[in-house]
Amino acid sequence: MAYVVPFSALRFTKKAGDIGALTCPPYDIISEEQRKAYLAENPHNIIRLELPRDGADPYAVAGETLKDWIDTDILEKDAAKAFYLYAIDFAVDGEKKFIAGLVGRVRLTPFSEGVVLPHEETLSKAKADRLQLMHATACNFSNIYSLYREDDTASPLHDVAALAAKGTLLNDMTDENGLRHRLWAITDEKDTAAITAAFADKKLYIADGHHRYETALNYQRELREAGRATPDADYCMMMLVEMSHPGLCVFPTHRVLHDLADFSGEKLLCTLSDTFRIEAMPAEALADGLRAAYAAHKTAFGFFDGRESCLLTLKDAAVMDALLPTLSPASRRLDVTVLHTLILERLLGIDKKNMANGTNLTYTRAAAEAVSAVRSGSADACFLLNPTRVEEIRDVAAAGEKMPQKSTYFYPKLITGLTVNPLF
C-alpha cells in the first residue's frame, strides 16, 4: 500500500522576506495581473518558479532562478527530515472551520496498482506544461491534495492536528483573503517512523492535483528511459488529509452553456419531462431547492436560460442502470454523471471532445456568475449543481473509474510556497 516518508523541504529563509509575500494560491487559478502583482510585492515570490513567464525559454529561466536562490540562501533545505503539519483556518458562509493534514513524500505508483487513486479526467496540455517545468527545475513546488481513511482512533493519522504539540511551528501567516496558514515540522524519528508505518495499509485518493501526479509519473519514466533515474524522482509531495475531517469542504462546479446552435430551453425541458420532475422557481431560489435535494439524497439540478428557471429532480435513478450498465453504481449515481449522460451528451451533443475544447461548455464555482452570464447574453443557459460528497469520490476512485472533468472543487486551495520538494 502507500509508502509515505518524511523529507527535507526547501523553504524560504528570512533573507527572502515575509512569508506572506512569498507564497501564492495554486498557479492555475492565478491571472497574469495577479502574477505580476505578487512579483511586484516581492520578486522572490514562488510564482516566479511555479508559473514562469520570463525570457525566451521560461522553464529554463525558472531552473536558473531556482539555482540562484539556493546559492544565495533565498531557499534553504531543512537540516532534518520531517513530516510537515499544515493547517488552514477559514470560514464558509460565516461558519469558522479549519483543515489539517500531513505533508510528506509519497512513493509513486501507477494508478493500476490501486494505491494512489484518481477520480477525475485530466487534460494533456496541462500535463505537458508541468512536465517541462519538472525537467527544468527537478522540484515539486506545490502539493498534491489527497485523502485517506483512518478508523483507528489510536493512530497518529486519525487526528493529525494533535501532532502540532510534537512539532516546531515554522510559519504562521494570514493571506490576502483572510485565511490563516500554519506549518509545523515533526522531526522526531520515532514520530515520523510511526506515521510512515500507519500509512502502510492505506490507499490514497487524489482530491486535487491529478495533472501533477500524472506528470510525476511521466517524469519518473522519462528519467529512467534516459538513464538518469534518481531515488528522489520516485516520490512526489502530497498533503494528506483524513477523509472524515470535519473541515473538508467540497464545492460544486456549475456548467455554463454557450454558442449552442438553435438552442431552446423550452424544448429541452419538454424533452426532459419524462425523466425529471420539473419545478419552476426563481433563479434566486434555486440554491435553496438544491440544498433540500442534497439533504434528501436526490439527484437534482438548477436550470436557467433567461426565461425558464426551474429545479430538475431525477424521477428514477434506474434509468442510469440501463444507459451505463458497465459503470459501477457509485459512478452511475453521481449528479455530474447524470447531467453529462442524460442531458449534455445525449440531448445537446456536448461530448468529451467538446468539453475538453471548451466549445460549448465552461465552468464556474459561483452560481451567481453562471446566472449572470446567461442574463448578460454571453451564455445560452446554465446548470447549477450540488457538491459531490467525499464518500462518492472515494467510491468512484475505488472502483477504478473517473468522474467528468470539474466534478469537484476542494476548498480552501492549498497555498504554494511553504514547502518545496527537491528531487535532486
Side-chain angles (χ1 to χ4, degrees):
M1 289 296 191
Y3 186 56
V4 185
V5 295
F7 70 108
S8 296
L10 279 172
R11 295 190 304 107
F12 283 110
T13 65
K14 291 183 178 180
K15 182 178 179 180
D18 179 73
I19 190 64
L22 297 167
T23 54
C24 66
Y27 76 97
D28 55 355
I29 63 171
I30 293 177
S31 68
E32 179 61 11
E33 291 73 22
Q34 289 172 311
R35 187 189 75 87
K36 291 178 178 178
Y38 286 124
L39 292 175
E41 184 177 5
N42 189 318
H44 296 124
N45 189 288
I46 194 68
I47 198 64
R48 188 177 294 280
L49 302 179
E50 176 75 319
L51 189 61
R53 291 286 186 268
D54 300 325
D57 184 348
Y59 302 108
V61 173
E64 294 166 2
T65 301
L66 172 66
K67 183 179 183 303
D68 177 67
W69 286 5
I70 293 173
D71 290 344
T72 58
D73 299 324
I74 297 300
L75 286 170
E76 187 175 74
K77 184 183 286 189
D78 283 338
K81 290 185 177 181
F83 278 109
Y84 298 90
L85 174 62
Y86 176 29
I88 309 174
D89 297 322
F90 61 104
V92 175
D93 295 330
E95 180 184 356
K96 292 183 178 180
K97 294 177 175 288
F98 89 99
I99 189 74
L102 289 169
V103 175
R105 273 185 174 178
V106 174
R107 185 162 61 193
L108 295 166
T109 58
F111 290 143
S112 59
E113 293 187 13
V115 177
V116 178
L117 299 167
H119 77 268
E120 281 189 348
E121 299 286 354
T122 56
L123 297 174
S124 297
K125 183 178 180 180
K127 287 181 282 187
D129 162 62
R130 293 297 92 184
L131 184 59
Q132 289 185 74
L133 184 62
M134 283 193 73
H135 275 299
T137 63
C139 279
N140 302 142
F141 296 113
S142 56
N143 277 296
I144 296 166
Y145 188 170
S146 294
L147 309 177
Y148 63 90
R149 181 172 179 174
E150 179 56 87
D151 296 322
D152 181 3
T153 57
S155 168
L157 304 185
H158 183 73
D159 180 13
V160 298
L163 294 172
K166 297 185 175 183
T168 301
L169 182 64
L170 303 176
N171 296 119
D172 187 347
M173 57 159 284
T174 300
D175 66 23
E176 66 265 38
N177 297 311
L179 280 65
R180 183 185 183 189
H181 303 263
R182 286 173 289 171
L183 186 76
W184 293 261
I186 301 165
T187 57
D188 184 273
E189 291 186 2
K190 288 184 179 179
D191 292 329
T192 58
I195 292 170
T196 295
F199 273 115
D201 65 345
K202 301 290 180 287
K203 292 186 177 185
L204 308 179
Y205 304 86
I206 297 178
D208 196 359
H210 293 79
H211 293 98
R212 278 165 281 156
Y213 189 82
E214 291 186 36
T215 297
L217 287 170
N218 290 333
Y219 179 72
Q220 178 195 54
R221 174 181 54 79
E222 291 187 5
L223 289 186
R224 288 176 175 176
E225 291 174 350
R228 297 188 290 112
T230 66
D232 291 318
D234 291 334
Y235 294 82
C236 65
M237 184 170 66
M238 277 193 186
M239 158 82 155
L240 300 159
V241 176
E242 209 285 315
M243 63 176 55
S244 66
H245 194 293
L248 266 177
C249 289
V250 185
F251 290 164
T253 303
H254 309 295
R255 272 57 177 162
V256 180
L257 311 181
H258 54 86
D259 300 313
L260 291 168
D262 302 318
F263 176 74
S264 169
E266 184 179 3
K267 290 181 180 178
L268 178 64
L269 293 177
C270 183
T271 304
L272 292 174
S273 61
D274 289 339
T275 312
F276 291 86
R277 181 169 63 85
I278 301 174
E279 182 183 358
M281 62 178 64
E284 292 73 20
L286 290 174
D288 291 335
L290 285 169
R291 276 192 289 268
Y294 185 84
H297 287 264
K298 294 180 179 179
T299 296
F301 318 108
F303 173 78
F304 179 69
D305 72 349
R307 297 180 60 186
E308 309 289 344
S309 180
C310 57
L311 185 73
L312 307 176
T313 305
L314 187 66
K315 291 179 179 178
D316 185 359
V319 66
M320 297 297 294
D321 300 336
L323 288 173
L324 301 172
T326 61
L327 278 187
S328 69
S331 286
R332 292 198 298 265
R333 297 295 185 265
L334 286 172
D335 287 9
V336 288
T337 303
V338 173
L339 175 63
H340 281 236
T341 302
L342 293 182
I343 302 177
L344 299 187
E345 294 181 19
R346 292 179 71 217
L347 300 180
L348 299 176
I350 303 176
D351 57 16
K352 290 184 179 179
K353 182 179 179 180
N354 185 302
M355 294 175 198
N357 294 332
T359 305
N360 299 117
L361 181 67
T362 54
Y363 309 89
T364 177
R365 189 177 67 81
E369 184 176 300
V371 170
S372 178
V374 176
R375 284 182 168 149
S376 71
S378 63
D380 297 313
C382 64
F383 285 96
L384 308 182
L385 286 79
N386 273 317
T388 302
R389 300 174 193 272
V390 173
E391 56 268 28
E392 292 175 325
I393 297 168
R394 176 199 64 204
D395 294 345
V396 169
E401 296 167 346
K402 295 180 182 179
M403 302 178 188
Q405 295 167 24
K406 306 293 184 181
S407 293
T408 59
Y409 186 100
F410 280 82
Y411 181 82
K413 294 292 186 180
L414 308 182
I415 205 166
T416 299
L418 291 180
T419 57
V420 172
N421 179 30
L423 302 175
F424 51 81

